[in-house]
Amino acid sequence: MNLLYKRATFEDIDILTKTRIEVLRAANQLSYDTDMSEVERESYNYYRKAICDGSHIAYLVFEGNCFVGAGGVSFFQVMPTYHNPSGNKAYIMNMYTNPKYRRMGIASKTLDMLVRDIKKRGVTAISLEATDMGRPLYEKYGFVKMNHEMELPE
């Protein structure tokens, strides 16, 4: 298998957007008749801005012309804390591997590339939200469950 791991550029916004919708459908167990037009439009707008200003990086994985996987990271800043004096954070998201290509190390390699890029920026606060399918990969990599974060539901 001859895989190409490519850092996404502005020209890749359409495939990034399409992949984002595919990931959200899978993670939320949504059928293909569920209207995702607003999320798709806003995701496109997000990528258009964030790829250009560097607040998001992503990798796309191809076998020939066939898209087989992706992963991305959003960078953001919060108020500085004792444990994170810069306040800089990274949130890994949109990890995806085509079902036919799973269990071949694609997600692991993509994750490793993202984490290396994050650390090159000097960011040490790295988090993600794991699906049941992805959790073993992230735990093997060293991610641990967070105990102190809370969320206000809609």
Side-chain angles (χ1 to χ4, degrees):
M1 189 166 34
N2 189 19
L3 297 175
L4 169 69
Y5 291 77
K6 174 191 182 296
R7 175 100 171 243
T9 65
F10 188 80
E11 288 75 30
D12 298 310
I13 290 175
D14 287 336
I15 195 163
L16 288 167
T17 303
K18 181 180 178 224
T19 304
R20 179 70 181 148
I21 299 307
E22 203 165 327
V23 167
L24 291 173
R25 284 190 191 283
N28 295 287
Q29 300 170 348
L30 300 173
S31 69
Y32 279 90
D33 60 348
T34 301
D35 181 19
M36 296 290 283
S37 57
E38 182 180 2
V39 176
E40 187 171 355
R41 186 175 51 257
E42 292 300 330
S43 294
Y44 181 88
N45 291 337
Y46 167 82
Y47 284 125
R48 194 174 67 204
K49 176 189 176 300
I51 292 293
C52 288
D53 70 16
S55 61
H56 187 90
I57 59 171
Y59 284 95
L60 300 169
V61 187
F62 297 90
E63 181 180 34
N65 291 331
C66 180
F67 169 74
V68 299
V73 61
S74 292
F75 294 94
F76 62 101
Q77 187 170 25
V78 297
M79 288 185 70
T81 65
Y82 174 75
H83 294 290
N84 185 10
S86 72
N88 293 325
K89 291 187 155 205
Y91 190 78
I92 295 173
M93 56 196 327
N94 224 46
M95 293 292 293
Y96 173 80
T97 305
N98 179 303
K100 291 184 262 184
Y101 290 84
R102 291 184 181 156
R103 302 274 181 240
M104 298 180 182
I106 294 169
S108 181
K109 182 171 180 177
T110 304
L111 178 62
D112 195 52
M113 293 169 77
L114 291 169
V115 170
R116 274 191 266 132
D117 283 357
I118 293 166
K119 289 183 176 183
K120 279 182 194 170
R121 288 191 181 200
V123 177
T124 57
I126 305 170
S127 60
L128 53 78
E129 186 176 334
T131 61
D132 290 340
M133 187 185 323
R135 187 167 281 105
L137 166 68
Y138 305 130
E139 288 174 344
K140 182 177 178 185
Y141 200 90
F143 283 87
V144 295
K145 190 172 183 170
M146 296 168 46
N147 295 322
H148 303 293
E149 199 163 293
M150 296 177 74
E151 178 178 76
L152 182 62
E154 291 183 37

